Amino acid sequence: MRKLILLATMALAAAVLPSALASAAPAAPAAAPATTAAAPTAAQLLAKTNSCTQISNGKYKTDEDVSGKTVAVCDANGAVFWKADMDIDCDGQRSTQCNEDTDCCYQDDTAFHQSDGKPLNAAKLPYIVVPSSSSIWKYSSSQLKGGGSCAVIYNGKVEYAVIGDTGPSQIIGEASYATAKDLGINPDPSNGGTDSGVTYICFKNSTVSPIENHGNAVSKGESLAATFVNNN
């Protein structure tokens, strides 16, 4: 009888043991989450601007005091771009950096406003300036508008900014104090900026909302820049 009981017990244990071991075994590690594709590098973006399909009717000057018109606006798949200098725009909200004392040409307004109706803050918000519409080029005809997303490239760095202001109709190459500072360019409105080496890529039919949210500008800009690299 003992042998029969022992054999029955052993048989029962043999049947139960595999499932017990399976339930006690550690769970397989969860699959790693998908990683977000890295934003394009400055070199990858610049490689897509080596040739120019000119859409401007003629070219722009980089400054009021130069005679030569050397900058064309170029078309691309999903964007337009130009290569110019960078003058410093300090217009908009008064700040320690931007006011009548620091900037001889200071204006207390910008063409496009924050979501609360106030002018933009050039000292804090990276934005670029597009030329006012003229016979040379109308930015709106290229599906660009206030708050549109742009990538600004200088010396191996990329800054994502918004279209924040309009400037003279015959001159191109200007961005806010904050844009210059982030790119390592002297942002002083009286003696800052750089004479060359800046590439501006603005993405068609794009909007950063609210315009003053730089974090949103970066995330949208990185996504649009990746698409630009892939499609050109």
Side-chain angles (χ1 to χ4, degrees):
M1 181 64 73
R2 284 184 181 179
K3 288 183 179 180
L4 291 175
I5 294 173
L6 179 59
L7 289 172
T9 302
M10 291 175 64
L12 180 61
V16 173
L17 184 59
S19 59
L21 289 175
S23 61
T35 55
T36 303
T41 64
Q44 288 173 319
L45 289 167
L46 291 176
K48 303 300 181 177
T49 65
N50 285 332
S51 61
C52 175
T53 301
Q54 183 171 329
I55 56 172
S56 56
N57 181 27
K59 297 182 178 181
Y60 287 95
K61 298 195 298 182
T62 56
D63 290 292
E64 186 65 44
D65 59 356
V66 300
S67 57
K69 297 180 178 181
T70 59
V71 181
V73 178
C74 309
D75 194 31
N77 189 359
V80 299
F81 65 89
W82 57 93
K83 299 181 180 184
D85 64 340
M86 183 182 287
D87 297 325
I88 307 302
D89 188 322
C90 234
D91 294 339
Q93 295 184 38
R94 286 181 180 81
S95 62
T96 302
Q97 299 87 351
C98 298
N99 55 65
E100 292 89 345
D101 295 328
T102 62
D103 183 0
C104 67
C105 307
Y106 172 78
Q107 299 180 43
D108 62 358
D109 200 5
T110 50
F112 308 108
H113 291 172
Q114 296 181 164
S115 55
D116 61 4
K118 294 180 180 179
L120 303 182
N121 188 329
K124 292 184 177 180
L125 181 67
Y127 69 74
I128 75 156
V129 180
V130 292
S132 296
S133 297
S134 71
S135 60
I136 300 176
W137 179 56
K138 295 180 180 180
Y139 63 88
S140 59
S141 297
S142 294
Q143 293 79 57
L144 303 185
K145 56 186 174 181
S149 175
C150 302
V152 188
I153 305 151
Y154 176 76
N155 198 25
K157 296 181 179 179
V158 182
E159 173 71 306
Y160 292 100
V162 293
I163 296 174
D165 205 358
T166 57
S169 61
Q170 308 292 312
I171 298 172
I172 202 168
E174 188 175 6
S176 68
Y177 182 106
T179 307
K181 182 179 178 182
D182 287 353
L183 287 170
I185 297 171
N186 178 3
D188 191 313
S190 63
N191 59 26
T194 184
D195 290 335
S196 62
V198 184
T199 299
Y200 303 80
I201 303 173
C202 289
F203 305 109
K204 298 175 182 178
N205 297 308
S206 64
T207 304
V208 175
S209 182
I211 189 173
E212 68 270 18
N213 189 317
H214 183 52
N216 287 353
V218 171
S219 59
K220 180 174 281 289
E222 288 179 342
S223 175
L224 292 170
T227 301
F228 171 76
V229 168
N230 290 334
N231 291 348
N232 285 279

